[in-house]
Amino acid sequence: MSTKAYELRTQTKQQLIEKLKDLKEELASLKVQKSSNGNAPKLAKIGEVKKSIARVLTVMSQAQRDNLRVLFKTKKYLPLDLRTKQTRAIRRRLTPEEASKKTLRQIKKDRHFPKRKYAVKA
């Protein structure tokens, strides 16, 4: 009876909202039965329903993030929660382009004092 994530991913947002509403209603009724000394099989179903609710919410948030990624693909900046996490040090590191740049002084030095070439005796 539990909902499968791959099945949920094929559904539209409205269908997911409807499913979520149904599951929440079912959970509420199960909690009422629990408080009025319900039988054990019903109590075991509470955990299953909670997990199904979590699955639906997860699929909804994943779909929303995917849509946002597509939307911000062409923009200059990404929202913080869509950026790659990495470590603080990696995020602050120079970009490869910045790291490969040379100062004017280094460019002049390289131009005036090129690497010496030696003929190696065979």
Side-chain angles (χ1 to χ4, degrees):
M1 172 67 196
S2 67
T3 52
K4 303 281 185 216
Y6 70 88
E7 293 168 355
L8 293 173
R9 285 193 181 92
T10 60
Q11 296 180 356
T12 64
K13 187 177 180 182
Q14 286 300 326
Q15 290 172 322
L16 288 173
I17 291 170
E18 194 64 37
K19 178 96 172 157
L20 185 65
K21 196 174 106 181
D22 295 342
L23 286 168
K24 284 186 175 183
E25 287 171 3
E26 187 179 350
L27 181 64
S29 68
L30 286 171
K31 282 183 176 180
V32 167
Q33 289 175 5
K34 178 186 172 187
S35 66
S36 61
N37 295 330
N39 55 354
K42 296 280 186 190
L43 299 181
K45 198 165 185 231
I46 289 177
E48 193 179 306
V49 172
K50 281 183 176 180
K51 283 184 181 180
S52 294
I53 290 172
R55 267 188 214 100
V56 171
L57 289 172
T58 300
V59 168
M60 285 173 69
S61 67
Q62 284 175 344
Q64 184 179 16
R65 285 174 65 90
D66 289 344
N67 290 339
L68 285 172
R69 278 188 202 286
V70 170
L71 178 70
F72 283 99
K73 186 89 172 163
T74 57
K75 303 280 193 274
K76 185 174 181 183
Y77 297 110
L78 261 180
L80 293 177
D81 60 333
L82 294 181
R83 293 180 193 171
T84 53
K85 182 74 171 104
Q86 300 172 328
T87 62
R88 193 167 189 266
I90 291 173
R91 290 195 307 267
R92 277 151 183 72
R93 190 188 297 164
L94 290 177
T95 64
E97 185 184 325
E98 291 168 338
S100 68
K101 280 190 173 178
K102 290 184 177 181
T103 61
L104 184 61
R105 183 185 175 106
Q106 186 64 45
I107 292 168
K108 286 179 181 177
K109 193 174 168 187
D110 290 344
R111 189 181 310 131
H112 295 299
F113 302 100
K115 186 92 173 147
R116 290 186 179 172
K117 296 181 183 115
Y118 295 100
V120 180
K121 211 176 196 180

